[in-house]
Amino acid sequence: MARPLHSFITALALLALLIAPANADALTDGFVVAAHVSYDGGDIAISEDDWAESGVLNAPVFAGDFVRTTTGNAELEIDAATAVRMAPRSLIYIARLDVGNTSLEVDGGTIEIRIFQSRAVTVVTRSSTIQISQAGTYRIEVVPAVSTRVTVRDGRADVPLPVGDSLAVDSGMSLQVTGTRKNPVTDITVATNADEFDRWNDQRDVVLAAGATDKRVNPILGANELENYGQWITYKTYDMVWSPGEKPGWAPYTIGSWMTSPVFGPVWLSAEPWGWAPYHYGRWIDDAEFGWLWIPEQSVVSWEPALVSAIPVPPLAPVGAIWWHPLGPGDFYEPWYDTTNVVVSPSNHMNKNGLHVPPPMHSYVRSGVPFPRNPSVRVPEAQRGGTPVRNRIYGGGARSGGGAGRSGGGHSGGGGGSSRK
């Protein structure tokens, strides 16, 4: 049965979300869509074929990744309109992650997909394929090698049948499929009452709806966290900008660490609860009155591992140290990774049912070194002719690798640490 709270939440969220439709034809080579961990219930694992890491808040998730939970719930926010929640002991594979089009494989456990505005989402299990195109709430329970249950709290899901037709699962209904996708046995019933996992999903809906804002400018940002951690202000020629509620002296890209991705190299991982959108989209300016302000993009843009410029520091600094600072409006961004090969190759590990299965999980320690030694990654020139910046000095021989930036102008403020007046 539909949960009463959902009608209110859905109306509130849809009114708050002003999301422009994406133009797929405008996407160029190198365009990246990334999800992120927006709720960390503990003991999350994220892995690809050749690496693994502990999932933490703001950790990126890409197509080709496996995500596994053990003892706690987890939430992945794919864009400003889609969230995937995982119950403990669940395993999913991100088969496709495009603008407005997501494909998941579920090999075990329980997930709930919350879609605030219509998106194409496909979920594949051993026994069924579930196609979703409407806003709503969809719960999927998979018992490995036994059955799949699809429960639609709001919306509608379609399950294709081998004969070419499909079964429609409407709001308030539940479909159980046993057998295989080639020979399924189906049973449609009225949905059961909500349980503890459903109630947690309701709580997360309230959190997302409360943080939703009409200042959001594109469907990739996932910027609902910002409303609760700062304020939006009208600022000069940039229209709406976001001012984080941090103490004087704070500066971006200082509270967190750098992780190493096999595809993107150094990736900034913020320790701030709001630290997803402002560090991977948009630009920063340092204003004399307000301190650091984040300027969101005005169109659909690609995810970036970090929007910074890095330069070697003067001779008196520690050996091998690097300075980095945020890029401002007009500063040129030059990726330090191969933009022609940014899509992670699909896993070669497949079981007899045609589902991807993860390689053996192995230990991966996230490096605290911001720009690891990597001959293929170069340190670009200073974007303002070597002007010292005060964001962060890091020693320890991390000379090769780093952010990007060339002279582009337009960066207000003096660069470096914030000094609120």
Side-chain angles (χ1 to χ4, degrees):
M1 298 177 63
R3 288 170 276 175
L5 182 59
H6 264 282
S7 298
F8 168 74
I9 293 172
T10 302
L12 177 62
L14 292 179
L15 285 173
L17 295 173
L18 298 180
I19 302 173
N23 182 359
D25 294 336
L27 305 186
T28 59
D29 291 341
F31 191 92
V32 180
V33 176
H36 72 286
V37 177
S38 49
Y39 180 91
D40 172 17
D43 296 323
I44 309 169
I46 304 171
S47 73
E48 296 174 7
D49 271 355
D50 56 356
W51 77 306
E53 63 162 329
S54 296
V56 294
L57 194 66
N58 295 320
V61 178
F62 305 104
D65 281 351
F66 296 91
V67 183
R68 173 188 289 167
T69 57
T70 52
T71 59
N73 295 333
E75 178 185 76
L76 307 180
E77 193 170 355
I78 295 177
D79 54 29
T82 310
V84 176
R85 282 78 175 259
M86 303 175 63
R89 295 173 295 280
S90 299
L91 173 65
I92 64 174
Y93 173 71
I94 312 296
R96 181 175 180 178
L97 200 58
D98 296 335
V99 176
N101 195 338
T102 299
S103 181
L104 310 174
E105 295 178 7
V106 184
D107 204 32
T110 300
I111 70 169
E112 184 157 301
I113 301 173
R114 183 70 171 98
I115 303 177
F116 290 97
Q117 187 180 37
S118 295
R119 289 285 191 276
V121 178
T122 300
V123 180
V124 178
T125 74
R126 176 185 180 274
S127 53
S128 64
T129 298
I130 302 126
Q131 297 175 340
I132 304 168
S133 60
Q134 296 183 10
T137 303
Y138 305 87
R139 173 173 170 148
I140 299 167
E141 303 165 72
V142 176
V143 179
V146 177
S147 66
T148 299
R149 177 176 290 276
V150 183
T151 301
V152 179
R153 301 296 186 186
D154 301 291
R156 167 179 162 153
D158 292 290
V159 179
L161 298 176
V163 296
D165 201 355
S166 65
L167 284 174
V169 187
D170 294 315
S171 179
M173 303 303 292
S174 182
L175 169 68
Q176 177 152 323
V177 184
T178 55
T180 65
R181 291 194 300 272
K182 292 183 178 180
N183 188 27
V185 178
T186 63
D187 181 28
I188 295 183
T189 60
V190 175
T192 58
N193 293 328
D195 61 9
E196 188 61 33
F197 183 60
D198 288 314
R199 286 187 284 273
W200 175 75
N201 277 275
D202 284 342
Q203 294 169 3
R204 291 302 300 165
D205 283 349
V206 172
V207 171
L208 294 185
T213 170
D214 59 1
K215 286 81 175 179
R216 219 178 309 210
V217 293
N218 78 55
I220 296 177
L221 292 182
N224 46 279
E225 298 91 347
L226 302 184
E227 192 82 352
N228 298 320
Y229 293 97
Q231 60 179 333
W232 290 90
I233 61 176
T234 302
Y235 182 84
K236 299 179 182 179
T237 60
Y238 301 118
D239 195 16
M240 300 304 296
V241 301
W242 182 70
S243 173
E246 303 293 339
K247 296 179 180 179
W250 173 90
Y253 294 100
T254 58
I255 302 176
S257 61
W258 293 90
M259 59 173 283
T260 305
S261 162
V263 176
F264 298 100
V267 177
W268 179 253
L269 183 61
S270 170
E272 292 136 333
W274 50 262
W276 174 252
Y279 292 125
H280 302 292
Y281 309 92
R283 300 301 174 93
W284 288 90
I285 57 174
D286 188 11
D287 180 80
E289 178 182 359
F290 296 102
W292 285 96
L293 300 171
W294 179 63
I295 306 172
E297 301 282 354
Q298 297 300 315
S299 60
V300 177
V301 292
S302 175
W303 175 90
E304 305 293 357
L307 289 160
V308 298
S309 175
I311 59 173
V313 298
L316 295 180
V319 175
I322 284 179
W323 255 322
W324 69 85
H325 60 93
L327 292 179
D331 292 334
F332 182 75
Y333 177 73
E334 182 182 6
W336 54 86
Y337 47 89
D338 183 4
T339 59
T340 63
N341 187 32
V342 298
V343 179
V344 179
S345 299
S347 170
N348 292 321
H349 301 266
M350 301 186 73
N351 61 20
K352 62 181 181 180
N353 301 307
L355 296 181
H356 294 86
V357 295
M361 291 288 185
H362 59 273
S363 175
Y364 174 84
V365 179
R366 179 179 293 112
S367 174
V369 177
F371 298 112
R373 293 174 178 173
N374 183 343
S376 66
V377 181
R378 64 185 179 83
V379 177
E381 61 275 18
Q383 72 182 48
R384 288 198 299 278
T387 302
V389 294
R390 295 178 287 119
N391 258 15
R392 176 75 62 90
I393 298 178
Y394 191 95
R399 181 173 297 278
S400 60
R406 288 182 176 174
S407 298
H411 189 164
S412 302
S418 170
S419 56
R420 297 192 181 187
K421 306 295 185 181

